[in-house]
Amino acid sequence: MNDMQPVSRTLLLERGSCSQRLAVLEAVGRAGGIASRVRGLLVDGRFWHPRFPRLRALIPHQIVLAWPEFLLGDQWVTVSELYGDLSTLQKGGGFTNTGGETLFDAVAHTAVDWDGVTCSSCDLSGHVLSDLGYFSSRDALFQTHGQTLCLPVRIIADLIMSRRAA
């Protein structure tokens, strides 16, 4: 649950939250010479209620989300569109945040649309409380806006969540 966990630790543990696995993807891109940045989104905590129904009381009201982008050629491409444009990916349906599928998993086959530019079933813009802008790195985002969970809660949440499958 530590959004600033080093990529090396995520790789060592062979597991991680969506955010931690997205950080690995960013690191792989940078290692390959691809520049990256993140868009900070403040997302309504209720977005995660379907995925964690028994833990609703523990989900914060607002969650800071780092959504990566990669500079491919001369254009910034969101992680949402690495596998295809949102119009094509919308055929895979919208991301519902239920069951075992995570945002990290979903981008490979369905539209994850934070801006509401695709079909209504793919539109997640209603969950965005605020666009925090672009940051040169996820570390810069979290240094500016802080992590969603304080350290004691992160430790407890990690103990609970580490027992769950991705």
Side-chain angles (χ1 to χ4, degrees), residues 102-118:
T102 67
L103 282 167
F104 180 83
D105 302 323
V107 296
H109 63 85
T110 190
V112 177
D113 177 8
W114 295 109
D115 294 308
V117 298
T118 61

Side-chain angles (χ1 to χ4, degrees), residues 112-131:
V112 177
D113 177 8
W114 295 109
D115 294 308
V117 298
T118 61
C119 63
S120 60
S121 66
C122 302
D123 179 3
L124 300 177
S125 64
H127 299 285
V128 177
L129 300 173
S130 181
D131 187 330

Side-chain angles (χ1 to χ4, degrees), residues 62-86:
Q62 301 175 349
I63 295 172
V64 177
L65 178 70
W67 200 243
E69 296 188 358
F70 302 89
L71 187 59
L72 303 178
D74 61 350
Q75 183 177 353
W76 286 102
V77 176
T78 71
V79 68
S80 309
E81 296 186 276
L82 285 180
Y83 293 91
D85 62 77
L86 291 178

Side-chain angles (χ1 to χ4, degrees), residues 30-82:
R30 285 191 307 274
I34 299 170
S36 67
R37 68 181 183 184
V38 297
R39 178 179 176 199
L41 299 170
L42 190 61
V43 179
D44 188 328
R46 290 176 290 188
F47 174 68
W48 279 272
H49 286 182
R51 183 170 157 101
F52 305 110
R54 293 187 177 143
L55 300 175
R56 283 184 179 182
L58 302 176
I59 296 172
H61 295 291
Q62 301 175 349
I63 295 172
V64 177
L65 178 70
W67 200 243
E69 296 188 358
F70 302 89
L71 187 59
L72 303 178
D74 61 350
Q75 183 177 353
W76 286 102
V77 176
T78 71
V79 68
S80 309
E81 296 186 276
L82 285 180

